[in-house]
Amino acid sequence: METAEKSFLLRKKRIGIMGGTFDPIHFGHLIAAEEAYCVLNLSEVVFVPTGNPPHKSRRQVSFPEDRYIMTLMATIDNPHFKISRIEIDREGPSHTIDTLREMHHWYPPGSVQFYFITGLDAVLELPSWKDPYSIIKEASIVAVTRPGYSIERLDELPEAIKRTVVLLEIPMLAISSTAIRRRVAEGSSIRYLVPWNVEHYIYKKSLYIRDGR
Ligand code: NAP
């Protein structure tokens, strides 16, 4: 590679895009984003709560606005965390490729490298997403894993996708949104699993109890 091209690449802004339903956001997500920020030398991490997840027809998902507000409250005290309404405000299903293409237009051509950060379980489904091979051209994929999760499962991915995946193991991801929703429905404590303001928001809006989830 030519030296000029190399130095241009080194000057590229490295931005993490933290994609998730965040129903609700918890400390596992926040620690994963902070770890990605440090390990990948990112300039910022943009949280992108999904609008209408195309793959979530079987389970009722909380209103996008509630998930957005919880994500905003959880990230507000971290100067290198940002949040985007790009998927919340988009009509129709949330496709990652549409988000990445739109976000690329926010920056001068070629000046940014995106790192799309999400859970390994979600990444394993990537071949079934809209335009998977375009996604891996628009961003590097960062798969966040829970401890003890078998990373050999990455072999399930087509080689071209697997090559672009960076793995990050986060012990605190033992917390899951599913477990938090279940605990709220059972009346168990979620203190220290989510930021205090998210906990208060969940109770104030009676999330996860009204529909018997
Ligand atoms: P999900 O199926 O709800 O989650 C799969 C697993 O990944 C869960 O264990 C989840 O844990 C974890 N996870 C989700 N987001 C995470 C994050 N940012 N950091 C760490 N762990 C995370 O997945 P989802 O939240 O609906 O979707 C994840 C992302 O993939 C979203 O940005 C979504 O838009 C994208 N996606 C795109 C398409 C498409 O373009 N067609 C299809 C599917 C997904 P928790 O439950 O604890 O969060």
Side-chain angles (χ1 to χ4, degrees), residues 8-27:
F8 180 71
L9 279 178
L10 287 173
R11 277 186 279 122
K12 271 192 172 189
K13 205 168 175 185
R14 298 158 65 90
I15 296 183
I17 300 174
M18 186 74 171
T21 308
F22 303 129
D23 191 23
I25 190 161
H26 53 68
F27 279 124

Side-chain angles (χ1 to χ4, degrees), residues 18 26-33 117-121 143-147 149 168-177 179:
M18 186 74 171
H26 53 68
F27 279 124
H29 298 131
L30 296 169
I31 290 168
I117 309 160
T118 196
L120 175 61
D121 279 347
V144 176
T145 73
R146 299 191 154 89
Y149 199 104
L168 267 190
E169 191 177 283
I170 309 289
M172 280 291 281
L173 265 193
I175 302 173
S176 76
S177 301

Side-chain angles (χ1 to χ4, degrees), residues 23-42:
D23 191 23
I25 190 161
H26 53 68
F27 279 124
H29 298 131
L30 296 169
I31 290 168
E34 183 68 13
E35 184 72 0
Y37 172 79
C38 297
V39 171
L40 301 170
N41 195 21
L42 304 177

Side-chain angles (χ1 to χ4, degrees), residues 72-126:
L72 177 66
M73 290 194 305
T75 53
I76 203 153
D77 60 352
N78 186 325
H80 47 257
F81 285 175
K82 308 236 163 86
I83 176 164
S84 169
R85 298 184 57 91
I86 189 168
E87 293 195 359
I88 299 279
D89 289 343
R90 187 189 298 140
E91 301 273 314
S94 281
H95 291 296
T96 299
I97 186 61
D98 301 337
T99 303
L100 292 172
R101 286 188 176 139
E102 202 174 328
M103 288 179 83
H104 263 294
H105 286 125
W106 298 350
Y107 302 90
S111 68
V112 68
Q113 171 64 42
F114 286 140
Y115 291 83
F116 184 77
I117 309 160
T118 196
L120 175 61
D121 279 347
V123 170
L124 292 175
E125 298 299 320
L126 200 147

Side-chain angles (χ1 to χ4, degrees), residues 91-197:
E91 301 273 314
S94 281
H95 291 296
T96 299
I97 186 61
D98 301 337
T99 303
L100 292 172
R101 286 188 176 139
E102 202 174 328
M103 288 179 83
H104 263 294
H105 286 125
W106 298 350
Y107 302 90
S111 68
V112 68
Q113 171 64 42
F114 286 140
Y115 291 83
F116 184 77
I117 309 160
T118 196
L120 175 61
D121 279 347
V123 170
L124 292 175
E125 298 299 320
L126 200 147
S128 69
W129 298 5
K130 183 181 162 195
D131 275 357
Y133 291 96
S134 302
I135 292 179
I136 59 173
K137 282 191 197 137
E138 301 282 340
S140 303
I141 306 298
V142 182
V144 176
T145 73
R146 299 191 154 89
Y149 199 104
S150 168
I151 58 169
E152 290 84 60
R153 288 194 60 201
L154 271 187
D155 292 335
E156 294 168 22
L157 289 172
E159 195 53 40
I161 296 184
K162 190 177 142 188
R163 266 203 306 271
T164 74
V165 176
V166 179
L167 269 178
L168 267 190
E169 191 177 283
I170 309 289
M172 280 291 281
L173 265 193
I175 302 173
S176 76
S177 301
T178 308
I180 291 167
R181 292 193 300 272
R182 194 181 52 236
R183 291 181 72 85
V184 174
E186 291 167 355
S188 303
S189 169
I190 55 166
R191 184 172 285 181
Y192 310 128
L193 298 178
V194 297
W196 67 269
N197 46 8

